[in-house]
Each structure stands twice: as structure tokens, then as C-alpha cells.
Amino acid sequence: MSKGRAEAAAGAPGILLRYLQEQNRPYSAQDVFGNLQREHGLGKAAVVKALEQLAQQGKIKEKTYGKQKIYFADQDQFDMVSDADLQGLDAKIVALTANVQSLQQSCRHMEAELKELTSALTTPEMQKEIQELKKECAGYTERLKNIKAATNHVTPEEKEQVYRERQRYCKEWRKRKRMATELSDAILEGYPKSKKQFFEEVGIETDEDHNVMLPDP
């Protein structure tokens, strides 16, 4: 026996005792071997020997059915469950069962809807629409390709220059509009007619007459 297999066999009783207590259900030696062999590397002989040792020590219970032995945790170590607790568990099981059935029904509905949707996607109308969308996408791709290939892009410096000129012109526009407003207000103080009549006689046209607005600073 290798050193690793010997160490696994030595620790087998503790491993099997914890496993049976955690699962709290009956197992044959073959069941325990199959469930724990991959994780712990226990051999069949080591599992049988450890189970028999635990049974002799009274740490687990052993029952014989025909030629097969069944092992399970000692039930005396677990707290007694009252009838009320059992009824509560039964009610919880009923509620969970109903929830499972509801979820299964929802899954069936979703599967049916998915099947209908998949079927709809294969209709000639949908195929035609898909082809049109692919054609449209190809057009956009070609347009983007041409834009990227163009050599007349505006440089950041040119863009900044345009913004500076716009700001300068707007500043001048605002300045002259303020001067014109102050001048017209001064004249209107001694003018006998209305502001509208004054503008018509003098021939003044305002921004509002041409539906234009001074941009925000």
C-alpha cells in the first residue's frame, strides 16, 4: 500500500462518520465507496473496514438485509422532532411543491412562446426583413469606410479657430445690439409715437423680425 493510500485508510473512520452524520440516510458500503472514492481516494477494502469498525464502536448503526449490510448514523444523537415540527415541515413541502409546479408551468409557457418565436423568425416575411436590414447595414458600413478614408478632415486647430471666430462675432453682435437698444431707448424718451412706429419710420429691423436669436455665450 502506498503512503498516500495508507494515510487515506487511517483517516477513513473520521471521514465516513462525518459523511453519514451529514447525510443522515442509509448507505451500503458500495454506495459510500462510490460517493467518496474520487474525493478522498478511499479503497473499497478501507471503506468496508472503517464502516465495520464504526459499527462495533457504536458510533453508527448497522442493519443486515439478506446478504447486504446497510449503515446509517445513530439517530439518538439527533434532537427529537415534535408532531408540530413535522406538520410545519409537511406544510413547507406542500408550499415548495406548489412553487415547483408553478415554475414548471411557467417554463412550459416560455418554451412554447420561444418555439412560436423561432417559427416566426423563419417565415418569408422575416427573411425578407433580415435581408433588407443586412443591405442597410452594408450601406452604413460603406459610408463609414468612405468617411474614414477621406483626407479633408477638419484638424483640431482649424476647429478651435472656428470656435474662436464664432465667439468673437457673437461678442461683437451682443455689443452692437446693446448700443442700438440704448440709443433707441434714449430717442423714444422724447418720441411722441410708439416704439413700433419709430422703427417703421426709421427702417430699423430687429433680430426678432427675422426670427434669429443671439447664441448663448
Side-chain angles (χ1 to χ4, degrees), residues 137-157:
C137 181
Y140 286 130
T141 302
E142 183 66 21
R143 182 180 176 186
L144 178 61
K145 180 180 178 181
N146 294 335
I147 292 174
K148 289 182 176 180
T151 58
N152 59 344
H153 294 301
V154 177
T155 65
E157 292 77 12

Side-chain angles (χ1 to χ4, degrees), residues 20 23-28 31-32 65 70-73 75:
L20 291 178
Q23 300 299 318
N24 194 22
R25 54 172 294 183
Y27 287 109
S28 65
D31 293 333
V32 175
Y65 296 94
I70 300 299
Y71 300 92
F72 52 92
Q75 299 301 299

Side-chain angles (χ1 to χ4, degrees), residues 21-120:
Q21 289 176 343
E22 290 172 356
Q23 300 299 318
N24 194 22
R25 54 172 294 183
Y27 287 109
S28 65
Q30 180 62 38
D31 293 333
V32 175
F33 167 70
N35 295 340
L36 299 180
Q37 188 272 337
R38 178 177 298 180
E39 181 179 357
H40 298 284
L42 297 175
K44 177 71 176 294
V47 170
V48 172
K49 181 178 179 181
L51 289 173
E52 291 178 349
Q53 177 183 341
L54 291 170
Q56 291 174 359
Q57 295 173 351
K59 295 181 179 180
I60 63 173
K61 296 296 183 179
E62 175 187 278
K63 293 288 184 181
T64 302
Y65 296 94
K67 296 181 179 181
Q68 188 177 41
K69 291 183 179 180
I70 300 299
Y71 300 92
F72 52 92
D74 185 1
Q75 299 301 299
D76 293 340
Q77 65 181 310
F78 300 112
D79 296 333
M80 294 295 294
V81 180
S82 65
D83 291 340
D85 293 334
L86 291 175
Q87 291 176 359
L89 291 174
D90 289 339
K92 187 174 182 180
I93 291 172
V94 171
L96 290 174
T97 302
N99 190 24
V100 169
Q101 292 175 348
S102 177
L103 291 174
Q104 289 175 339
Q105 185 176 3
S106 298
C107 288
R108 286 193 293 268
H109 287 313
M110 293 178 66
E111 289 174 355
E113 292 177 358
L114 180 60
K115 185 177 180 180
E116 292 178 359
L117 180 59
T118 303
S119 177

